[in-house]
Amino acid sequence: QVVLVESGGGLVQAGGSLRLSCAASGFILDDYAIGWFRQAPGNGREGVSCLSKRHGTLFDVDSVKGRFTISRDNASDTVYLEMNGLKPEDTAVYYCAADSRYWFCSRTGIFEGWNFWGKGTPVTVSS
């Protein structure tokens, strides 16, 4: 059973930082593509960043380049999203997703078709 659990969200001031975690179980992390997505109220789900062992990071949405970094710790089966220089427009529920099709990161942020999703962790950035 593939299970993904996000954590680390909360309320921060603009310019602050958060580190989101996606704890994974039920699969070998290196065999999967792992993506971070976000959805703000009234908006659709947006791809943020994606990582795979075979291909590395294959997309970062332009709005977060230079501020957000995706990484993994295979020993703890955890994927992280380090978020720095947060802006109010980063406010959203952040989700991680996994898929055994390791090339999914090449789809430039498309959320349709990902097999496994966490429940999300909310991030609110105050001005």
Side-chain angles (χ1 to χ4, degrees):
Q1 180 72 27
V2 173
V3 177
L4 304 171
V5 180
E6 303 97 332
S7 62
L11 174 65
V12 298
Q13 295 181 354
S17 299
L18 285 174
R19 190 185 194 190
L20 306 184
S21 298
C22 175
S25 62
F27 64 98
I28 300 173
L29 196 62
D30 279 353
D31 292 342
Y32 279 63
I34 308 294
W36 281 100
F37 298 79
R38 65 185 181 184
Q39 188 164 10
N43 295 337
R45 193 164 298 185
E46 175 188 36
V48 177
S49 189
C50 195
L51 181 150
S52 72
K53 177 66 175 179
R54 293 184 61 166
H55 303 291
T57 301
L58 294 185
F59 77 80
D60 290 306
V61 67
D62 286 345
S63 61
V64 310
K65 287 182 178 177
R67 299 189 298 119
F68 292 9
T69 302
I70 190 170
S71 63
R72 66 180 164 217
D73 180 2
N74 288 347
S76 61
D77 291 326
T78 303
V79 176
Y80 301 99
L81 186 68
E82 182 74 30
M83 308 188 298
N84 300 307
L86 284 162
K87 304 175 180 179
E89 53 263 42
D90 295 319
T91 295
V93 177
Y94 284 72
Y95 301 87
C96 65
D99 202 288
S100 62
R101 292 167 287 187
Y102 56 83
W103 45 266
F104 254 40
C105 288
S106 69
R107 304 195 307 152
T108 61
I110 299 171
F111 71 86
E112 291 91 348
W114 288 79
N115 280 332
F116 305 104
W117 291 86
K119 297 297 184 182
T121 185
V123 172
T124 301
V125 184
S126 62
S127 61

